[in-house]
Amino acid sequence: MFEIGKTLINSFDNAEFDLPTKTENEIYDPVIGTAYAELIVLPNEKTAYSVKHTDQSNGIFRIILRYPIGESKDTIKTKADEIFSVYKLHSIVTDTENNNYAEIVKQNCQEGVRETAWHKLVLDLYYQTFTRR
Amino acid sequence: MSFSDDMKKICKKTGDDAGRVGRNIKIKLFSEISNNTTVKTGRLRGNWQTSTGTPKYGIIERYAKDGGVNSGKEVKREILDNVTAFGIDYFTNNLPYAAVEEERKGFVAKSIANINRSIKEAVEDVRDWKNTYK
């Protein structure tokens, strides 16, 4: 259930979005004036897909972009588009080593809000995954 | 095509009653959100409020982890009492920290990700009910 989280986070790092990232339980002190992305994977429970050998699950890969207040709102929106263009609908995020893959089935962007020194934009990538039991 | 058109299509295929299926889906979705909600004192879960027509804007004190009131059960009862078949139903939580918790834990987003399964289960429940009582 949690392997897919690693796969998604690794795929973000490998895509080279040129943003420092903060993941769960990782110590990262945001630097004032430097944009960063917080990555959270929210998996749902795993259920049986077939009697014999396949399980299914789904969840959300949540990317929280924080940009310094002074920066243009277009910069953060451009970055959001760049991320969405990598994680296209029905694209497959794979980890061939561990035989994991997730299919992106929905993209969602919440309205941007101001949060202390940051302008925050939350991107949600809904995924589904089928794994060998 | 609207949600109710989709519902009618599903019900036409399955021969089920649109209202019953629609209500069942809403009950499943709201219950799943409530169940996914983080419980520390029970206050956050207890503040899920169900209404029809207009959302609720207040905060209520419906929590006690070890006390007399089981917030989850109370929320479930309110869902069952208030959810309608064809009305616009709201499920709101007005605690200031609800949004922060949602961002970290995604109890609403995760339930929406699971909506296809909820629909499938709702249709199956109604079909079972019809098979049992017809």
Side-chain angles (χ1 to χ4, degrees):
Chain A
M1 199 159 105
F2 296 107
E3 299 91 5
I4 205 68
K6 280 186 212 158
T7 305
L8 288 162
I9 286 170
N10 287 342
S11 75
F12 190 91
D13 290 336
N14 295 338
E16 294 177 357
F17 290 114
D18 200 22
L19 280 174
T21 56
K22 177 184 188 298
T23 53
E24 207 178 0
N25 298 329
E26 184 186 302
I27 297 165
Y28 173 78
D29 289 324
V31 180
I32 297 293
T34 305
Y36 72 100
E38 187 176 350
L39 310 177
I40 304 171
V41 180
L42 303 162
N44 268 318
E45 68 274 20
K46 193 188 269 189
T47 53
Y49 179 70
S50 71
V51 177
K52 279 190 177 171
H53 42 63
T54 311
D55 295 326
Q56 62 180 346
S57 184
N58 60 28
I60 296 138
F61 181 29
R62 180 163 278 175
I63 299 155
I64 305 172
L65 297 177
R66 287 193 178 88
Y67 271 65
I69 281 291
E71 269 196 57
S72 156
K73 281 185 181 173
D74 288 341
T75 318
I76 191 167
K77 284 178 181 166
T78 307
K79 185 57 77 179
D81 277 339
E82 190 187 329
I83 293 168
F84 280 145
S85 69
V86 168
Y87 295 98
K88 289 187 179 79
L89 291 177
H90 298 295
S91 62
I92 309 275
V93 179
T94 48
D95 169 9
T96 41
E97 242 177 65
N98 297 309
N99 209 12
N100 288 326
Y101 77 91
E103 182 187 8
I104 305 298
V105 291
K106 186 178 163 187
Q107 299 174 335
N108 184 46
C109 180
Q110 295 175 22
E111 204 177 325
V113 289
R114 189 176 173 163
E115 187 187 77
T116 58
W118 309 98
H119 180 69
K120 182 177 79 175
L121 200 62
V122 180
L123 315 181
D124 282 341
L125 297 164
Y126 289 71
Y127 68 84
Q128 66 176 5
T129 179
F130 297 91
T131 47
R132 190 167 283 278
R133 195 170 300 146
Chain B
M1 185 178 272
S2 69
F3 177 71
S4 58
D5 289 334
D6 285 340
M7 282 302 309
K8 278 175 195 160
K9 216 167 138 187
I10 291 169
C11 294
K12 201 175 169 187
K13 269 189 192 167
T14 57
D16 290 324
D17 173 62
R20 199 168 285 137
V21 173
R23 183 170 183 273
N24 219 350
I25 290 168
K26 285 189 256 184
I27 289 170
K28 280 196 184 296
L29 180 63
F30 293 176
S31 304
E32 192 168 333
I33 292 170
S34 163
N35 291 341
N36 281 342
T37 302
T38 336
V39 178
K40 284 175 191 154
T41 63
R43 191 175 187 224
L44 185 60
R45 182 180 281 172
N47 260 278
W48 282 113
Q49 299 174 75
T50 317
S51 59
T52 303
T54 49
K56 290 195 175 167
Y57 294 104
I59 290 172
I60 53 171
E61 297 304 326
R62 181 166 53 187
Y63 67 97
K65 198 175 180 185
D66 307 304
V69 182
N70 181 328
S71 58
K73 268 189 188 168
E74 293 292 314
V75 171
K76 188 72 193 272
R77 186 173 304 141
E78 194 181 277
I79 293 169
L80 293 172
D81 286 348
N82 292 353
V83 166
T84 59
F86 295 106
I88 297 171
D89 297 313
Y90 292 88
F91 198 52
T92 46
N93 195 321
N94 299 307
L95 282 177
Y97 58 90
V100 179
E101 285 288 311
E102 165 60 19
E103 190 175 291
R104 297 269 157 258
K105 314 282 181 194
F107 31 78
V108 176
K110 277 166 67 177
S111 307
I112 290 170
N114 243 350
I115 189 76
N116 283 343
R117 208 187 63 193
S118 298
I119 291 173
K120 202 174 152 205
E121 283 175 4
V123 171
E124 282 168 5
D125 284 354
V126 171
R127 193 180 296 150
D128 289 348
W129 183 87
K130 283 184 96 173
N131 288 339
T132 310
Y133 294 103
K134 77 177 176 186

